[in-house]
Amino acid sequence: MRLSKFISEHIEVILQEWEDFAGTLHPLKSSTKAQLRDHAKAILGAICLDLDTYQSVEAGIEKSKGNGPDSAAETAAEAHAADRVNAGFTVEELMAEFRALRASVLRLWQNRVKTADESDLQDMLRFNEAIDQSLTESLAQFSAMLRDSQNVFLAILGHDVRNPLGAISMGTQMILQDTTLPARHVKVAAQVLRSTQRVTEIVSDLLDYSASHLGSGIPVTLADYDVSIESRSVVQEMRLFHPEREFKVDIEDGIIVAWDCARISQALSNLMANAVQHGSATSPVWVTLSRQGKEVVMVVQNEGDIISPNRLRVMFDPGKSFAMKSTSERSASQTSNLGLGLYITHEIVLAHGGTIRVSSTELEGTTVTVRIPAIATRPAA
């Protein structure tokens, strides 16, 4: 008996095994029959349809890698993932359901088919490819929904924190205007204001991070301005913040661009701050800005520890970058952060239609090179 026909004729037995297994998972212990079975019948129906459809060798190989044909409509596996997210599943529990489904079908079919011929082996291969494709679709939807929920939480958190931070900042500024305060109290109030401003910057980064994931990237407002003047202003601010460090600057005059001035200044400031934090304290930070054809090239360079190729690959992904750190690096909170600044810089450059590249060698140190069209072009959605 061909496997697709076997599944169709024994669908109730297979669904009962799926239901029994789902009932052992903690989020579904008190669920109804419909909640336990969820989209299992539709998933099996899609698999049977796949088994009965002609497939080339190349298409089968791609499907086994999770690169099956895209569907315009939501698949049963994607709908299943959405329901499991809402039920409170973990990704391990979602994967366990598909593992159990695969095992149930093959075990029941093996009991029926005592000797296998070439067509049976082909059916088994096609079935595994179809299960893998369904699992890939389900995991992709599950992960996307989890990321969205986390980013919504960050956006709400950042928005709600802004109001009390604003009140603290305004109150502290009023205190600092009181000329009758003892010097000791003025010093404390000034420190509170600096700390409040720092937290405000962190909240702003969190909002940018969540917005870039929920929408189509960081929003930018393009306008003509002289980036040479604005870049020198950013450098001057960094010199005030870090008087102990040396900055060597080579900025070409009169570079007119159509960019988001505030965002590009934020990106340059982030790159310089990163160079100061991770570069050698005894060597300068180099900043260059020049026009090359239709592009403007911004380079920030510092000497210091060489960054490994593995870390360079995830430098602009704060989650992966943090995961690669050792326990001691993660605990060094005074000298380390989550790297949101670099991520936001990356997104700002992309929003202007530009590119950002990092290299790190013993001879040249760490070099970040940003290339953006002078007349910025937003990337396609």
Side-chain angles (χ1 to χ4, degrees):
M1 179 183 292
R2 298 306 296 266
L3 182 53
S4 60
K5 184 178 180 182
F6 174 83
I7 293 174
S8 299
E9 292 185 359
H10 296 79
I11 187 72
E12 186 57 38
V13 177
I14 297 170
L15 289 176
Q16 187 60 53
E17 288 213 6
W18 169 289
E19 177 186 331
D20 293 342
F21 176 77
T24 66
L25 300 175
H26 183 265
L28 298 179
K29 284 190 179 296
S30 58
S31 299
T32 64
K33 187 181 187 73
Q35 290 170 327
L36 290 169
R37 293 195 174 191
D38 193 40
H39 296 85
K41 187 173 184 178
I43 292 172
L44 286 170
I47 290 174
C48 287
L49 181 62
D50 182 270
L51 290 173
D52 291 334
T53 304
Y54 169 76
Q55 175 178 279
S56 66
V57 175
E58 293 78 11
I61 294 172
E62 286 302 305
K63 190 186 298 178
S64 66
K65 297 176 181 177
N67 300 324
D70 293 330
S71 173
E74 182 182 54
T75 67
E78 290 170 339
H80 173 70
D83 278 1
R84 287 327 195 210
V85 168
N86 294 330
F89 265 46
T90 65
V91 67
E92 291 83 7
E93 288 169 330
L94 178 70
M95 292 178 65
E97 281 194 299
F98 280 92
R99 188 168 62 244
L101 178 62
R102 185 199 308 265
S104 296
V105 170
L106 293 179
R107 185 181 63 255
L108 292 170
W109 190 47
Q110 181 186 30
N111 292 337
R112 177 65 181 267
V113 179
K114 300 302 182 183
T115 58
D117 57 23
E118 184 177 350
S119 63
D120 294 327
L121 294 175
Q122 183 64 26
D123 279 355
M124 185 182 300
L125 179 63
R126 290 284 303 274
F127 173 74
N128 279 305
E129 291 169 354
I131 283 285
D132 289 340
Q133 179 64 27
S134 294
L135 176 58
T136 299
E137 293 170 358
S138 201
L139 285 176
Q141 179 73 359
F142 188 90
S143 299
M145 291 185 68
L146 279 187
R147 284 195 302 270
D148 285 349
S149 65
Q150 291 165 353
N151 289 318
V152 167
F153 172 78
L154 286 177
I156 294 172
L157 175 64
H159 183 271
D160 289 350
V161 168
R162 270 187 164 178
N163 289 335
L165 277 177
I168 294 170
S169 179
M170 290 182 62
T172 307
Q173 291 179 57
M174 290 180 62
I175 292 173
L176 288 171
Q177 293 173 6
D178 187 348
T179 57
T180 65
L181 279 179
R184 178 169 61 116
H185 293 177
V186 171
K187 184 177 180 180
V188 172
Q191 180 60 53
V192 170
L193 182 59
R194 284 193 296 271
S195 298
T196 302
Q197 291 170 340
R198 175 60 184 141
V199 174
T200 301
E201 292 172 0
I202 294 172
V203 169
S204 179
D205 284 349
L206 282 174
L207 288 173
D208 283 342
Y209 178 80
S210 58
S212 67
H213 281 76
L214 289 171
S216 56
I218 286 181
V220 294
T221 302
L222 306 181
D224 294 344
Y225 74 99
D226 190 330
V227 70
S228 302
I229 295 175
E230 294 299 329
S231 296
R232 289 192 179 97
S233 177
V234 172
V235 172
Q236 186 58 31
E237 288 180 1
M238 293 301 295
R239 281 175 169 152
L240 292 174
F241 287 141
H242 302 281
E244 78 287 356
R245 296 301 296 273
E246 180 185 2
F247 296 90
K248 291 191 175 182
V249 182
D250 182 10
I251 296 178
E252 185 180 318
D253 292 328
I255 302 178
I256 306 301
V257 296
W259 295 349
D260 187 315
C261 179
R263 287 298 192 184
I264 292 297
S265 295
Q266 180 185 9
L268 178 56
S269 178
N270 286 344
L271 291 177
M272 292 183 68
N274 186 73
V276 169
Q277 179 181 349
H278 297 287
S280 170
T282 59
S283 64
V285 172
W286 289 269
V287 180
T288 63
L289 186 73
S290 61
R291 180 149 188 169
Q292 298 180 9
K294 295 182 179 180
E295 292 183 326
V296 176
V297 181
M298 181 188 304
V299 179
V300 177
Q301 186 177 16
N302 65 271
E303 294 180 359
D305 294 337
I306 305 304
I307 304 173
S308 69
N310 287 339
R311 293 202 175 191
L312 282 177
R313 280 194 289 269
V314 299
M315 191 167 177
F316 299 110
D317 187 321
K320 293 179 180 177
S321 182
F322 184 76
M324 289 185 66
K325 292 182 178 180
S326 64
T327 303
S328 59
E329 288 174 317
R330 295 181 186 182
S331 62
S333 57
Q334 293 183 352
T335 58
S336 180
N337 55 52
L338 292 178
L340 289 181
L342 287 177
Y343 168 81
I344 291 165
T345 297
H346 179 261
E347 293 299 304
I348 289 172
V349 173
L350 291 185
H352 285 78
T355 61
I356 182 168
R357 298 287 183 268
V358 187
S359 64
S360 187
T361 65
E362 189 173 349
L363 180 63
E364 297 183 350
T366 298
T367 304
V368 181
T369 304
V370 174
R371 293 180 175 271
I372 304 176
I375 308 301
T377 56
R378 292 184 178 87

